[in-house]
């Protein structure tokens, strides 16, 4: 999200070159900056604060009369989340985390150096020093450029190139992380920040373009709670190379177990599990690997007496020579998986009673921009359960849409272009086309998983436009060339964006009742005048707005649009935004923000699951159910084999290997050999019943039983 903000501000600050030169500024007003940072925090509960810090005398504004080509000494709009349990607004005395403190940190007495965020005396300004001040020396073309091909509603075209943050392939990359710091006097928490630079052409309006050069004039800073980070207590290795202050602090017994980190544990001990090393197994009374949290809490006596693995006495070699399965073995597995005996191909594979996952994926992967015309349009819309996991795996991308929907809702409800202020202060102008184009484009530029984004306005709801729908997209994964079209230029009935399913569904859902929307409260303090000697409360204090959260959006079915701009299997998330009606009495639906992601970037979940889980591919793993169980492996993509077969309680992995499980990709490949009647070792992918820890122990048991039998025979003869 920080990267997306950097792209937007870099674009909008340089978009003045698209428009005619006038004796005025095209820059957004102060309220736009404030509400933009509010939306960053309101859309993502894991973000504590959001801010934009400008370098001294680098911020231009349209919020003051007669302020053309003048700058603020300092400008730092910042929003952080308040704990509102004791706020008089909330009579329930329950923390909602929907109240935000918004203030301009650039407004302070000139003599107060400790309040100047650009000063060395401002002790927590490491985020400022990461990129600023940007003293450009030597060449003036050092800033990365990005290209956008724009097609407007009147079918005119324009190619705009602007300077932005560094690319992900550059060194250093676009995002720098600060050290953890205590935000004393503000949120009073340990925070860690992501810092991204904002580029502009500086200085402005000199009439001499050769002395205007790109430089970083500001930074976008997103601050997160440091205690939400996971710590890795496992020893250093391939996945934990360091530097890591907590490396090798896990309490796994290294003789028989090895450490594996667990995600989502937070900044506390115990975020790991102790797995048995190869050649060892869990005791028969233990069901799962030892949980780190339990080990950390154990007493000394418990620790030294338990949490060990037992050595496997008889270890087999992995077979080298494979053989074809015998007739009855092959028939046994085909009876167990009847979908591989009689199956359908093509689009019908997804509609059969017993789903053949290989044929289903063969159809899905076989659809591309060359072959899509060969299928019926209905075949290019998949069932919703085919994209199971999208809500979790694409959550961050969906929050990008919620963030923009929150911002538009806040601006339409809080900012009044007809407001009259005292002095030279003027109200923010209504949202412009360039601003909406920049916001939509920033979503695609800021997140590589997003292939397209759109801001679809309802009819006659955008200023001076009947229809307005900027649609940004890319045609290749890692690129610096993007495209944007105004979908309002499409005027055929079946092409109108207002007739699409996502738009119509959300419009009908939010046509009358808005009670379920989230209410966000803003406590805003702005600068008293242009120079900003001190802060004052915003005239409408406190103020609030209502907007959608993540749960109020709509997830579409996976679809391949053969006539669309992005020819991929796309999963689309749509979030609505709202504003006042014409007489400012009640809210009304204003439009939708959409983001689309490539379904091929999802991980397939083949393991067994509850009957009510909408997953088309559940229970399609090939693990031996009697001796092993399925565990998902993330990162394998939209392919089979994204799991591993772990041995059940009382069973052991019999082979001499570097792992203690059967890899799902190998299991799937060997099962296919069974299906096509080739050499296969699939029948060996079973766990062995855990017996004695060594052959000697088993021999001793046999001798003891034999001796006991002889004694009993001698006694009762």
């Amino acid at each position: 999200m920080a990267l997306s903000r950097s792209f937007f501000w870099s674009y909008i600050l340089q978009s003045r070159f698209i428009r005619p030169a006038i004796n005025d500024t095209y820059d957004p007003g102060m309220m736009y900056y404030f509400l933009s940072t509010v939306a960053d925090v309101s859309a993502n509960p894991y973000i504590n604060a959001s801010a934009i810090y400008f370098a001294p005398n680098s911020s231009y504004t349209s919020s003051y009369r007669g302020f053309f080509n003048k700058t603020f000494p300092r400008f730092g709009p910042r929003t952080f989340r308040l704990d509102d349990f004791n706020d008089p607004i909330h009579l329930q005395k329950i923390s909602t985390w929907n109240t935000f403190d918004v203030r301009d940190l650039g407004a302070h007495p000139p003599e107060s150096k400790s309040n100047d965020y650009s000063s060395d005396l401002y002790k927590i300004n490491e985020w400022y020093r990461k990129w600023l001040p940007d003293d450009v020396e030597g060449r003036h073309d050092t800033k990365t450029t990005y290209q956008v091909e724009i097609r407007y509603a009147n079918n005119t075209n324009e190619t705009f190139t602007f300077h932005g943050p560094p690319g992900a392939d550059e060194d250093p990359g676009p995002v720098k992380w600060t050290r953890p710091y205590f935000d004393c006097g503000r949120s009073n928490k340990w925070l860690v920040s992501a810092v991204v630079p904002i580029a502009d052409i500086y200085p402005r309006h000199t009439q001499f373009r050769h002395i205007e050069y790109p430089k970083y004039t500001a930074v976008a800073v997103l601050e997160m709670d440091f205690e939400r980070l996971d710590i890795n207590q496992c020893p250093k290795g391939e996945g934990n190379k360091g530097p890591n202050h907590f490396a090798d602090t896990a309490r796994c017994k290294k003789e028989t177990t090895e450490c594996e980190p667990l995600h989502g544990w937070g900044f506390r001990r115990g975020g790991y599990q102790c797995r048995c090393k190869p050649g060892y197994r869990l005791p028969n009374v233990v069901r799962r690997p030892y949980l780190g949290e339990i080990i950390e809490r154990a007493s000394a006596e418990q620790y030294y007496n338990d949490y060990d693995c037992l050595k496997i006495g008889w270890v087999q070699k992995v077979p080298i020579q494979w053989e074809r399965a015998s007739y009855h073995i092959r028939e046994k597995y085909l009876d167990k998986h009847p979908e591989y005996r009689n199956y359908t191909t093509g689009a019908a594979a997804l509609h059969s009673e017993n789903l053949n996952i290989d044929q289903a994926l063969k159809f899905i992967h076989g659809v591309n921009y060359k072959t899509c015309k060969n299928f019926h349009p209905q075949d290019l819309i998949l069932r919703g359960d085919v994209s199971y996991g999208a809500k979790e795996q694409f959550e961050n991308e969906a929050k990008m849409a919620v963030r923009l929907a929150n911002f538009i809702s806040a601006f339409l409800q809080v900012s009044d272009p007809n407001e009259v202020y005292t002095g030279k202060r003027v109200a923010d102008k209504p949202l412009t086309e360039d601003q909406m184009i920049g916001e939509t484009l920033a979503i695609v530029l800021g997140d590589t998983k997003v292939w397209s984004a759109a801001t679809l306005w309802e009819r006659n709801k955008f200023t001076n436009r009947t229809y307005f729908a900027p649609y940004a997209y890319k045609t290749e994964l890692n690129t610096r060339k993007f495209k944007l079209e105004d979908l309002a230029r499409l005027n055929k009935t079946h092409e109108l964006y207002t007739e699409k399913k996502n738009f119509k569904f959300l419009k009908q859902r939010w046509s009358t009742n808005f009670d379920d929307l989230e209410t966000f409260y803003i406590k805003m303090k702005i600068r008293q005048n242009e120079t900003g000697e001190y802060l004052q409360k915003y005239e409408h204090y406190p103020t609030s707005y209502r907007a959608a959260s993540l749960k109020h959006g709509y997830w579409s079915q996976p679809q391949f649009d053969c006539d669309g701009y992005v020819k991929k299997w796309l999963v689309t998330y749509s979030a609505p935004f709202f504003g006042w009606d014409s007489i400012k009495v009640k809210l009304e639906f204003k439009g939708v923000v959409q983001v689309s992601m490539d379904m091929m970037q999802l991980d397939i979940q083949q393991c067994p699951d509850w009957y009510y889980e909408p997953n088309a591919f559940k229970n399609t793993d090939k693990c031996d159910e009697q001796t092993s169980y399925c565990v998902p492996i993330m990162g394998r993509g939209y392919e089979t084999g994204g799991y591993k077969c772990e041995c059940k309680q009382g069973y052991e992995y019999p082979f001499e290997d570097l792992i203690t499980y059967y890899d799902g990709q190998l299991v799937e490949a060997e099962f296919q050999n069974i299906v096509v009647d080739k050499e296969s070792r699939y029948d060996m992918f079973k766990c062995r019943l855990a017996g004695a820890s060594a052959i000697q122990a088993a021999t001793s048991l046999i001798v003891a039983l034999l001796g006991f039998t002889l004694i009993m025979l001698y006694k009762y003869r």
Side-chain angles (χ1 to χ4, degrees):
M1 189 173 287
L3 186 59
S4 172
R5 295 294 81 218
S6 171
F7 276 116
F8 168 73
W9 293 114
S10 298
Y11 174 88
I12 202 64
L13 293 178
Q14 299 170 58
S15 65
R16 63 184 184 275
F17 295 109
I18 303 178
R19 302 304 174 193
I22 58 175
N23 193 23
D24 197 359
T25 179
Y26 290 105
D27 287 28
M30 285 198 301
M31 192 61 67
Y32 196 106
Y33 283 95
F34 289 134
L35 296 180
S36 177
T37 59
V38 169
D40 296 341
V41 183
S42 66
N44 196 325
Y46 301 129
I47 294 178
N48 278 43
S50 174
I52 303 165
Y53 297 98
F54 278 87
N57 298 307
S58 297
S59 172
Y60 298 83
T61 184
S62 59
S63 293
Y64 286 94
R65 192 177 294 107
F67 209 67
F68 173 68
N69 206 21
K70 295 181 180 180
T71 58
F72 289 145
R74 306 285 188 277
F75 186 47
R78 181 179 186 267
T79 296
F80 75 89
R81 194 185 306 272
L82 289 175
D83 187 358
D84 54 1
F85 80 98
N86 203 29
D87 198 289
I89 297 175
H90 304 292
L91 301 179
Q92 302 93 336
K93 301 298 180 183
I94 299 175
S95 294
T96 66
W97 299 105
N98 286 346
T99 301
F100 310 110
D101 182 276
V102 185
R103 60 185 63 197
D104 181 3
L105 297 185
H108 57 81
E111 65 277 2
S112 178
K113 296 296 182 183
S114 61
N115 289 329
D116 183 2
Y117 59 77
S118 64
S119 170
D120 291 334
L121 299 177
Y122 200 80
K123 295 301 182 182
I124 58 174
N125 75 339
E126 183 175 331
W127 30 260
Y128 180 85
R129 297 296 176 188
K130 288 291 184 182
W131 296 101
L132 299 176
D134 183 23
D135 298 322
V136 179
E137 298 179 359
R139 296 178 62 92
H140 287 179
D141 57 351
T142 57
K143 302 299 181 284
T144 308
T145 58
Y146 300 86
Q147 179 179 300
V148 186
E149 298 178 11
I150 305 175
R151 190 174 187 180
Y152 295 101
N154 57 3
N155 284 317
T156 58
N157 301 323
E158 184 168 23
T159 300
F160 178 56
T161 301
F162 69 99
H163 300 272
D169 56 337
E170 297 183 57
D171 187 21
V175 182
K176 290 185 179 180
W177 294 89
T178 65
R179 293 176 297 175
Y181 59 92
F182 192 81
D183 192 28
C184 185
R186 299 195 294 187
S187 57
N188 292 319
K189 287 185 176 182
W190 284 101
L191 302 177
V192 62
S193 299
V195 187
V196 188
I198 297 172
D200 192 8
I201 305 296
Y202 190 86
R204 293 188 179 185
H205 309 293
T206 63
Q207 304 299 322
F208 299 99
R209 187 65 178 84
H210 64 282
I211 66 171
E212 299 177 3
Y213 56 91
K215 65 178 295 186
Y216 297 140
T217 59
V219 289
V221 182
L222 262 64
E223 304 171 38
M224 291 144 284
D225 193 343
F226 178 62
E227 294 184 357
R228 288 185 180 273
L229 297 180
D230 294 333
I231 60 174
N232 192 337
Q233 295 182 250
C234 296
K236 289 186 178 181
E238 284 299 319
N240 183 24
K241 293 185 178 181
N244 182 3
H245 186 73
F246 301 100
D248 205 14
T249 59
R251 300 189 66 194
C252 295
K253 295 186 176 180
K254 297 182 179 180
E255 297 80 10
T256 62
T257 63
E258 56 188 6
C259 178
E260 180 182 359
L262 299 177
H263 298 291
W265 223 256
F267 199 78
R268 58 193 179 101
R269 295 184 302 166
Y272 60 91
Q273 64 180 9
C274 299
R275 301 174 44 83
C276 292
K277 281 186 172 182
Y280 293 85
R281 65 172 177 85
L282 290 170
N284 289 344
V285 295
V286 179
R287 183 183 297 270
R288 295 288 187 268
Y290 301 114
L291 193 61
E293 184 181 24
I294 304 299
I295 298 177
E296 295 283 349
R297 293 179 178 180
S299 64
E301 182 180 0
Q302 288 176 318
Y303 178 73
Y304 289 110
N305 292 333
D306 296 322
Y307 311 119
D308 282 301
C309 289
L310 305 178
K311 187 173 180 60
I312 299 175
W314 183 37
V315 180
Q316 301 173 240
K317 292 287 186 180
V318 178
I320 303 299
Q321 184 176 357
W322 307 343
E323 296 180 356
R324 290 173 57 185
S326 60
Y327 174 79
H328 71 279
I329 293 292
R330 182 172 181 270
E331 289 298 311
K332 179 182 73 171
Y333 289 121
L334 291 181
D335 286 342
K336 189 176 180 180
H337 299 279
E339 64 273 14
Y340 286 89
R341 189 185 295 276
N342 296 310
Y343 56 84
T344 55
T345 60
L350 286 164
H351 305 288
S352 58
E353 183 177 355
N354 293 321
L355 178 69
N356 186 319
I357 185 173
D358 293 289
Q359 293 300 322
L361 293 184
K362 184 178 180 180
F363 159 70
I364 292 174
H365 288 293
V367 178
N368 53 49
Y369 70 97
K370 295 180 180 179
T371 62
C372 62
K373 295 291 186 181
N374 301 331
F375 298 95
H376 190 277
Q378 196 63 35
D379 294 335
L380 300 180
I381 303 176
L382 304 181
R383 295 157 32 187
D385 56 358
V386 174
S387 61
Y388 175 79
K391 293 183 180 180
E392 293 77 23
Q393 298 177 44
F394 291 148
E395 181 180 358
N396 288 334
E397 287 68 36
K399 287 178 180 177
M400 302 283 277
V402 175
R403 185 252 155 223
L404 180 52
N406 268 240
F407 165 72
I408 298 176
S409 298
F411 195 90
L412 294 179
Q413 297 174 43
V414 175
S415 178
D416 185 359
N418 299 318
E419 189 81 43
V420 178
Y421 298 97
T422 59
K424 296 181 180 180
R425 170 79 192 280
V426 294
D428 276 32
K429 300 174 183 177
L431 295 173
T432 66
E433 291 185 20
D434 285 337
Q435 290 168 358
M436 291 296 95
I437 288 174
E439 291 281 6
T440 308
L441 187 65
I443 296 178
V444 183
L445 271 73
D447 195 322
T448 57
K449 287 186 177 181
V450 177
W451 280 83
S452 69
T455 305
L456 312 177
W457 286 78
E458 172 65 320
R459 178 184 171 92
N460 292 325
K461 299 304 179 185
F462 190 78
T463 307
N464 298 326
R465 289 289 301 273
T466 304
Y467 291 104
F468 182 52
Y471 176 86
Y473 65 99
K474 59 187 178 184
T475 55
E476 53 184 297
L477 183 58
N478 297 314
T479 181
R480 292 176 186 168
K481 295 183 179 181
F482 301 85
K483 298 182 179 182
L484 186 139
E485 296 225 7
D486 187 351
L487 298 183
R489 70 180 188 83
L490 306 176
N491 51 17
K492 295 181 181 179
T493 303
H494 69 280
E495 294 178 340
L496 278 178
Y497 64 86
T498 54
E499 297 299 318
K500 301 299 181 182
K501 181 179 179 180
N502 296 5
F503 191 93
K504 292 177 68 175
F505 176 86
L506 288 175
K507 181 180 178 180
Q508 294 169 2
R509 165 64 182 87
W510 300 103
S511 59
T512 55
N513 193 336
F514 307 98
D515 293 343
D516 196 39
L517 293 177
E518 294 278 355
T519 302
F520 300 98
Y521 297 90
I522 305 173
K523 296 185 176 182
M524 188 181 301
K525 291 185 178 181
I526 62 175
R527 58 180 57 220
Q528 182 265 345
N529 57 16
E530 305 95 308
T531 54
E533 281 83 4
Y534 59 88
L535 292 171
Q536 66 178 15
K537 290 183 179 180
Y538 178 58
E539 282 77 356
H540 304 279
Y541 183 89
T543 188
S544 64
Y545 70 95
R546 306 191 72 182
S549 61
L550 190 64
K551 66 179 181 180
H552 297 132
Y554 175 77
W555 290 92
S556 73
Q557 299 170 259
Q559 182 175 357
F560 194 102
D561 190 355
C562 207
D563 298 321
Y565 299 104
V566 182
K567 292 177 173 54
K568 292 181 177 292
W569 287 106
L570 296 180
V571 179
T572 302
Y573 175 81
S574 306
F577 54 87
F578 310 90
W580 296 114
D581 59 9
S582 57
I583 56 177
K584 298 190 70 172
V585 173
K586 64 176 183 177
L587 292 179
E588 66 178 4
F589 173 82
K590 294 289 188 179
V592 166
V593 178
Q594 291 183 351
V595 290
S596 298
M597 289 70 65
D598 185 7
M599 188 181 69
M600 296 297 105
Q601 293 181 312
L602 286 176
D603 290 323
I604 288 181
Q605 165 64 282
Q606 291 183 252
C607 295
D609 210 338
W610 295 103
Y611 67 92
Y612 52 78
E613 287 293 339
N615 180 7
F617 303 121
K618 63 185 176 185
N619 296 318
T620 59
D621 66 283
K622 308 304 187 298
C623 294
D624 181 62
E625 297 178 356
Q626 183 177 356
T627 64
S628 62
Y629 63 94
C630 177
V631 179
I633 297 179
M634 305 301 291
R636 295 283 176 91
Y638 209 77
E639 299 283 352
T640 58
Y643 60 90
K644 58 183 177 180
C645 302
E646 291 272 12
C647 293
K648 285 185 176 181
Q649 180 181 3
Y651 291 86
E652 62 189 16
Y653 185 77
F655 296 111
E656 183 181 12
D657 205 347
L658 296 177
I659 56 177
T660 59
Y661 56 84
Y662 298 107
D663 191 284
Q665 290 180 334
L666 184 60
V667 173
E668 293 282 344
E670 294 300 327
F671 182 80
Q672 284 299 316
N673 289 337
I674 287 278
V675 174
V676 297
D677 200 14
K678 290 184 177 180
E679 292 83 0
S680 175
R681 50 177 172 164
Y682 177 74
D683 194 44
M684 303 187 67
F685 291 160
K686 301 177 182 179
C687 293
R688 186 176 61 198
L689 188 65
S693 58
I695 296 178
Q696 292 83 356
T699 305
S700 302
L701 181 61
I702 293 172
V703 172
L705 289 173
L706 182 59
F708 179 76
T709 304
L710 292 174
I711 292 172
M712 296 301 292
L713 289 174
Y714 178 78
K715 183 176 180 180
Y716 294 104
R717 66 179 179 175

